[in-house]
C-alpha cells in the first residue's frame, strides 16, 4: 500500500513539476512571474477536448495539436501584449498575466458546452499495469512517462540546439547574449511560447486524471511552491520541487493527521525559503 | 429572548408585506406576474444553473400555454451571478428596483443565496425554494422564506442509518470536501451513526481542485472501512471510486445528492458500478420503464432545448411547479400576504417526476426533509428505496 501511495504522489508531482517548469522557464528568460499558467493549462486541455469531440481526431493527435496551438498562442500573446512588460517594474508582468488569465478563464466559461458538463480525454488503453503489489493506473503511468520524455527533450534542446543555447545565454545575461548575435526579443517570445506549451502539455496529461473543466487550472497553486522550492531559476530544481511536493503530500495524507496534507506544499515552501533561499538545488552545491 | 426576537422579526416582515401591498403588488398586473431567478450561467456551477433555468422556464411556458394562472401570464427575469455574491447582490437590486418582480424562485448557490436573501426578504418579496441546502433559507421562521431542499445533514442522517441497518456495516468512514458542505455532511453521518450507537471509524478530507486521492483511499483502506461516505461532487466521486477499484478494494461507497448525477456514471463508467447515492429527485432517464407522462416530458424538453434533461432540469421544473400551485391557491386577488397564506397551507402530491409530496404549514416552511437511496446498476442510477424517514 505504501508503494501505491508513492506512485500516486510521483504522478501528482510530475504534473506539479511540469507546470513549475513553465513558471521557471518564463522567469529565467524574462524575469517575469506568470500568473496565468493555470489558465493556459486549462485552455490546452479544452483545445484537445474540442479536437477530439468536435472533429473526431484521435486523442494523441489532438494532444500534440493542442500543445502546438498553445505554443502559437503564447507567441501571439507575447507579440501582442507581453513584450510591453520588458524593462518595466516586476509588478507589470504580474498584473498583466493575472489579467490575461482572467480573460482566458472568462472566455472559456462563456462557452456553454465548456461549463455545462465535464469532459474527458480518452486514453488509448485502460487496464492498469500490475508490478508485484503495485498497480499503475494507465493515466498515472502516462503522466510519469510523458514527464520523463518532456524532460529529456528539454534537456537536449537546451544543451545541444543553437536556439536552446541562445535561450540559456539570454536568460543568464541578455546584454552579453545580444552582443554575441542572439536576439533578446526573439528569445523573450520563445520563452513565453514554450511556457504556454508546457502548461498545455501538463493540462493534456491531467485531463484523463481530473477531467476537463474550467477549474482544473487550480493545480498551478501547488506548482508555484514547487517552482519556489526548486529555486525559481533552476529547471531541474522545478521538476524536483514538484516531485518533492507530490510525494510529501501523498505521504502526509496517508500518515499524518487529517488536514496536514493541504498545508504541506506551502509549509515546505516556507521552510525552503527560510533554510535554502536559493532553492533545494543549493543543498547539492553546498556539499 | 430568542422567541421574542423571532416574533419581532415576523411582525416587522408582516408590516413590510402590508406596506408593499398598500403600494400595489410589485410585479403583478391585471394580466401578468413577473418573477425572477438568479442562476450561475457562467461560473463554476453553471453545469447546474443552465438546466435549472431551462426547467423553470419550461414549466412557466406550459402554464402560459394553458392561459396562465387566473388569467395572468407568467414572465421571468433570469440573471447570471457567475456564482459571485457581489454580482448576485447587484442583480438582486436590479431585479427589485428595475424589474420590480413579485418573487424570487430557485436562486442557485449558498454564497449567492446568503448574500441576496436579506435584500429580497427586506424588500418584502417571497424568497422561494433556493438551491441552497442551508438552514437559514427556512429558519428562523419568517413569512417570506420557503424551502424544499433540506440540509445535507437531514438526508445523510437517514441514509446512513438505512445503509447500516440494511447491509450491516460495522466500520463507516468519511471522505469529505474540506468546506461547509463536507462538514455539514459529516455532521449528518455522525448523527445517523450516533443514533445507532456507532461512531465514524476514520475521516479524511481534500481541498477543491485536488488531483490525487491515493493517500486518502490508502488511509481509509488501512482503517478497514466497510462503507465510505463520500461528501464529494461528481469529479471527486469518480476519482475516489476509481482509485479504490484500481487498488483492488471493493468497498461500498455512498455519495450525497451532489454526486447523484448522470455525469457520475457517464464519466466513471464501469469503475462507479455499485455506487450508492442519495437522491432528492430521480434522474429523468428516457427508456422503456419510464412512465408515459415522464416520457412525454423528456421528449418535450429535448425538442425545446436540443439536449437531454437531467436531475437539475427536473428540480427547476419542480420548483416552478410548486410556485404555480401556490399562485393558483392564492386566488385571483393576488398579493404577497395572500400568497404567503396559500404557501403555508400548500400540500402537493407526488408527481410524474417522482419527487416527494411537499407540505408546508405556518410553523414549518421546509416542504420536505426526506431523500431516497439509489445505486448505479448497468451504467445508470436505479432507485432502491422509497423516501426515508
Amino acid at each position: 500500500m505504501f508503494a501505491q501511495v508513492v506512485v500516486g504522489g510521483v504522478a501528482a508531482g510530475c504534473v506539479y513539476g511540469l507546470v513549475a517548469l513553465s513558471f521557471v522557464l518564463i522567469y529565467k528568460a524574462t524575469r517575469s512571474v506568470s500568473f496565468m499558467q493555470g489558465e493556459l493549462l486549462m485552455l490546452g486541455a479544452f483545445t484537445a477536448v474540442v479536437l477530439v469531440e468536435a472533429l473526431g481526431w484521435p486523442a494523441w493527435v489532438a494532444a500534440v495539436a493542442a500543445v502546438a496551438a498553445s505554443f502559437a498562442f503564447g507567441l501571439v500573446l507575447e507579440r501582442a501584449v507581453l513584450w510591453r512588460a520588458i524593462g518595466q517594474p516586476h509588478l507589470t508582468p504580474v498584473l498583466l498575466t493575472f489579467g490575461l488569465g482572467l480573460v482566458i478563464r472568462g472566455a472559456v466559461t462563456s462557452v456553454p458546452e465548456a461549463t455545462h458538463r465535464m469532459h474527458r480525454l480518452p486514453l488509448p488503453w485502460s487496464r492498469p499495469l500490475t508490478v508485484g503489489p503495485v498497480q499503475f493506473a494507465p493515466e498515472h503511468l502516462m503522466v510519469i512517462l510523458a514527464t520523463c520524455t518532456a524532460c529529456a527533450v528539454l534537456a537536449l534542446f537546451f544543451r545541444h540546439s543553437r536556439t536552446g543555447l541562445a535561450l540559456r545565454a539570454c536568460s543568464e545575461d541578455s546584454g552579453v547574449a545580444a552582443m554575441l548575435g542572439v536576439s533578446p526579443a526573439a528569445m523573450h517570445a520563445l520563452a513565453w511560447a514554450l511556457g504556454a506549451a508546457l502548461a498545455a502539455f501538463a493540462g493534456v496529461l491531467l485531463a484523463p486524471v481530473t477531467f476537463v473543466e474550467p477549474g482544473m487550472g487550480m493545480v498551478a497553486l501547488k506548482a508555484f511552491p514547487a517552482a519556489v522550492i526548486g529555486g525559481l531559476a533552476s529547471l531541474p530544481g522545478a521538476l524536483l520541487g514538484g516531485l518533492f511536493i507530490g510525494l510529501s503530500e501523498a505521504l502526509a495524507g496517508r500518515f499524518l493527521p487529517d488536514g496536514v496534507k493541504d498545508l504541506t506544499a506551502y509549509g515546505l515552501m516556507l521552510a525552503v525559503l527560510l533554510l535554502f533561499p536559493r532553492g533545494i538545488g543549493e543543498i547539492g552545491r553546498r556539499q | 429572548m430568542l422567541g421574542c426576537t423571532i416574533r419581532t422579526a415576523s411582525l416587522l416582515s408582516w408590516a413590510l408585506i402590508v406596506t408593499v401591498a398598500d403600494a400595489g403588488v410589485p410585479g403583478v398586473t391585471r394580466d401578468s406576474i413577473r418573477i425572477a431567478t438568479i442562476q450561475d450561467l457562467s461560473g463554476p456551477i453553471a453545469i447546474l444553473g443552465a438546466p435549472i433555468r431551462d426547467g423553470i422556464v419550461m414549466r412557466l411556458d406550459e402554464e402560459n400555454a394553458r392561459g396562465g394562472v387566473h388569467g395572468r401570464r407568467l414572465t421571468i427575469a433570469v440573471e447570471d451571478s457567475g456564482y459571485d455574491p457581489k454580482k448576485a447582490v447587484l442583480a438582486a437590486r436590479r431585479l427589485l428596483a428595475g424589474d420590480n418582480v413579485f418573487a424570487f424562485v430557485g436562486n442557485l448557490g449558498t454564497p449567492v443565496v446568503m448574500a441576496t436573501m436579506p435584500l429580497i426578504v427586506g424588500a418584502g418579496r417571497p424568497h422561494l425554494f433556493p438551491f441552497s441546502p442551508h438552514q437559514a433559507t427556512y429558519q428562523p421562521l419568517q413569512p417570506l422564506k420557503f424551502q424544499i431542499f433540506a440540509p445535507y445533514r437531514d438526508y445523510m442522517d437517514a441514509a446512513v442509518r438505512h445503509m447500516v441497518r440494511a447491509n450491516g456495516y460495522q466500520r463507516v468512514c468519511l471522505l469529505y470536501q474540506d468546506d461547509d458542505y463536507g462538514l455539514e455532511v459529516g455532521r449528518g453521518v455522525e448523527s445517523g451513526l450516533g443514533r445507532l450507537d456507532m461512531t465514524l471509524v476514520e475521516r479524511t478530507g481534500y481541498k477543491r481542485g485536488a488531483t490525487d486521492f491515493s493517500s486518502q483511499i490508502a488511509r481509509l483502506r488501512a482503517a478497514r472501512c466497510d462503507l465510505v461516505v463520500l461528501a464529494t461532487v461528481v469529479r471527486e466521486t469518480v476519482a475516489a471510486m476509481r482509485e479504490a477499484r484500481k487498488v483492488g478494494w471493493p468497498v461500498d461507497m455512498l455519495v450525497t445528492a451532489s454526486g447523484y448525477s448522470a455525469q457520475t456514471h457517464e464519466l466513471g463508467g464501469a469503475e462507479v458500478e455499485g455506487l450508492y447515492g442519495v437522491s432528492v429527485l430521480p434522474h429523468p432517464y428516457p427508456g422503456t420503464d419510464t412512465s408515459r407522462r415522464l416520457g412525454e416530458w423528456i421528449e418535450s424538453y429535448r425538442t425545446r432545448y436540443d439536449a437531454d434533461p437531467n436531475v437539475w432540469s427536473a428540480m427547476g421544473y419542480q420548483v416552478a411547479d410548486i410556485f404555480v400551485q401556490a399562485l393558483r391557491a392564492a386566488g385571483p386577488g393576488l398579493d404577497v400576504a395572500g400568497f404567503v397564506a396559500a404557501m403555508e397551507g400548500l400540500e402537493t402530491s407526488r408527481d410524474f417526476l417522482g419527487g416527494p409530496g411537499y407540505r408546508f404549514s405556518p410553523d414549518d416552511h421546509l416542504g420536505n426533509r426526506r431523500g431516497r437511496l439509489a445505486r448505479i446498476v448497468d451504467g445508470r442510477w436505479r432507485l432502491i428505496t422509497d423516501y426515508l424517514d
Side-chain angles (χ1 to χ4, degrees):
Chain A
M1 208 184 293
F2 178 79
Q4 201 69 57
V5 173
V6 169
V7 171
V10 168
C14 283
V15 175
Y16 297 155
L18 278 174
V19 185
L21 270 180
S22 74
F23 275 117
V24 170
L25 194 72
I26 291 169
Y27 181 76
K28 267 177 77 85
T30 68
R31 297 290 146 194
S32 305
V33 177
S34 169
F35 275 74
M36 61 175 178
Q37 295 310 101
E39 281 74 19
L40 289 171
L41 175 151
M42 178 261 296
L43 189 65
F46 266 112
T47 307
V49 163
V50 168
L51 295 175
V52 170
E53 291 188 2
L55 303 180
W57 290 19
W60 72 271
V61 180
V64 171
V67 174
S70 296
F71 181 91
F73 183 63
L75 216 53
V76 169
L77 276 185
E78 199 277 342
R79 286 292 85 193
V81 183
L82 293 163
W83 68 271
R84 293 169 199 272
I86 297 175
Q88 299 293 325
H90 283 308
L91 195 59
T92 308
V94 167
L95 292 177
L96 205 53
T97 52
F98 187 74
L100 282 170
L102 286 178
V103 171
I104 294 171
R105 195 179 163 83
V108 171
T109 52
S110 67
V111 179
E113 191 58 20
T115 49
H116 291 191
R117 66 190 188 93
M118 275 180 266
H119 303 265
R120 74 181 305 177
L121 209 53
L123 277 176
W125 73 100
S126 58
R127 288 173 67 87
L129 179 72
T130 308
V131 181
V134 186
Q135 295 254 3
F136 290 93
E139 58 271 20
H140 285 173
L141 209 57
M142 187 189 69
V143 167
I144 295 169
L145 287 176
T147 305
C148 293
T149 311
C151 289
V153 169
L154 278 177
L156 285 174
F157 172 72
F158 282 116
R159 288 186 183 181
H160 300 291
S161 77
R162 287 181 66 86
T163 316
L165 286 168
L167 188 56
R168 276 174 69 195
C170 215
S171 65
E172 294 295 329
D173 190 326
S174 59
V176 174
M179 282 192 279
L180 293 171
V182 175
S183 162
M187 292 304 113
H188 191 266
L190 180 65
W192 282 105
L194 275 176
L198 265 178
F201 187 56
V204 166
L205 292 179
L206 202 56
V209 183
T210 66
F211 308 123
V212 180
E213 43 104 20
M216 68 185 293
M218 279 172 74
V219 71
L221 293 178
K222 298 279 177 64
F224 187 70
V228 174
I229 286 173
L232 209 55
S234 156
L235 292 172
L239 195 64
L240 276 177
L243 286 172
F244 188 42
I245 286 185
L247 265 174
S248 310
E249 269 193 341
L251 295 174
R254 170 65 187 88
F255 297 108
L256 295 181
D258 191 28
V260 173
K261 177 183 181 187
D262 299 312
L263 301 174
T264 311
Y266 308 103
L268 285 173
M269 181 174 78
L270 286 176
V272 168
L273 280 176
L274 283 172
L275 299 172
F276 311 103
R278 291 181 184 175
I280 49 177
E282 193 184 343
I283 303 170
R285 282 196 292 276
R286 276 187 186 179
Q287 286 165 351
Chain B
M1 180 66 193
L2 181 66
C4 183
T5 312
I6 293 170
R7 271 197 301 279
T8 311
S10 286
L11 280 172
L12 281 172
S13 302
W14 276 114
L16 252 173
I17 293 170
V18 171
T19 312
V20 169
D22 283 349
V25 186
V28 180
T29 66
R30 208 162 54 85
D31 53 8
S32 75
I33 301 168
R34 185 153 182 79
I35 61 168
T37 187
I38 303 175
Q39 298 297 325
D40 177 7
L41 303 175
S42 61
I45 54 169
I47 195 168
L48 317 182
I52 290 173
R53 173 202 58 193
D54 293 347
I56 294 175
V57 171
M58 182 173 166
R59 178 66 188 91
L60 299 184
D61 284 355
E62 275 180 14
E63 199 60 25
N64 289 334
R66 295 187 197 121
V69 181
H70 300 300
R72 292 188 178 100
R73 281 181 56 78
L74 303 171
T75 64
I76 185 162
V78 182
E79 285 280 350
D80 176 19
S81 72
Y83 201 57
D84 180 347
K86 296 189 291 299
K87 276 193 198 166
V89 165
L90 290 175
R93 288 203 174 119
R94 204 161 41 240
L95 291 164
L96 288 167
D99 280 78
N100 202 24
V101 297
F102 172 70
F104 286 71
V105 179
N107 289 353
L108 172 63
T110 298
V112 164
V113 168
M114 290 300 117
T116 55
M117 190 168 61
L119 286 176
I120 295 165
V121 172
R125 316 295 168 82
H127 186 264
L128 307 172
F129 330 128
F131 286 82
S132 161
H134 197 287
Q135 215 171 7
T137 56
Y138 62 94
Q139 275 185 348
L141 194 64
Q142 207 278 357
L144 297 169
K145 297 195 289 194
F146 291 88
Q147 177 60 294
I148 60 169
F149 304 111
Y152 285 105
R153 193 187 326 185
D154 293 17
Y155 299 131
M156 295 314 290
D157 179 321
V160 166
R161 273 186 291 124
H162 179 88
M163 288 285 286
V164 169
R165 283 195 187 122
N167 299 341
Y169 300 114
Q170 300 291 319
R171 301 179 68 79
V172 180
C173 302
L174 175 69
L175 172 64
Y176 66 101
Q177 187 164 290
D178 191 7
D179 58 11
D180 281 353
Y181 158 59
L183 297 175
E184 176 78 359
V185 173
R187 282 193 279 270
V189 175
E190 281 177 335
S191 160
L193 291 175
R195 290 163 75 172
L196 298 171
D197 290 328
M198 292 171 70
T199 53
L200 261 182
V201 172
E202 180 65 281
R203 61 162 69 212
T204 182
Y206 68 90
K207 291 278 183 210
R208 273 185 79 171
T211 54
D212 176 45
F213 289 84
S214 56
S215 61
Q216 285 94 335
I217 292 298
R219 191 185 189 102
L220 296 172
R221 193 181 187 189
R224 293 183 290 112
C225 312
D226 53 11
L227 172 67
V228 175
V229 180
L230 301 174
T232 52
V233 194
V234 172
R235 188 177 69 81
E236 299 84 3
T237 306
V238 175
M241 279 289 275
R242 179 188 278 180
E243 180 64 31
R245 298 303 181 250
K246 186 188 82 190
V247 298
W249 189 32
V251 67
D252 282 346
M253 294 196 182
L254 165 69
V255 70
T256 71
S258 289
Y260 176 80
S261 159
Q263 280 235 300
T264 305
H265 54 71
E266 284 166 10
L267 293 169
E271 285 154 333
V272 295
E273 272 293 303
L275 172 68
Y276 292 94
V278 176
S279 157
V280 181
L281 197 66
H283 184 87
Y285 289 106
T288 48
D289 53 347
T290 305
S291 70
R292 193 174 62 86
R293 176 76 184 89
L294 180 59
E296 286 169 3
W297 181 81
I298 292 170
E299 206 42 52
S300 164
Y301 187 97
R302 272 182 178 163
T303 310
R304 188 184 170 106
Y305 297 114
D306 195 23
D308 283 334
N310 59 27
V311 68
W312 299 99
S313 332
M315 286 185 188
Y317 187 91
Q318 191 143 71
V319 297
D321 184 63
I322 300 170
F323 173 67
V324 167
Q325 292 193 44
L327 279 182
R328 280 198 203 124
L334 181 64
D335 61 17
V336 175
F339 178 80
V340 168
M343 273 301 309
E344 289 182 335
L346 190 68
E347 191 169 343
T348 70
S349 51
R350 291 172 76 154
D351 59 13
F352 68 93
L353 289 169
Y358 298 98
R359 186 170 177 275
F360 303 89
S361 74
D363 301 322
D364 189 4
H365 284 197
L366 176 62
N368 169 52
R369 287 184 165 75
R370 301 181 305 160
R372 62 204 300 192
L373 284 174
R375 192 173 194 198
I376 296 181
V377 179
D378 296 332
R380 61 193 274 178
W381 288 103
R382 310 267 179 194
L383 295 167
I384 57 171
T385 69
D386 200 347
Y387 285 92
L388 302 167
D389 287 310

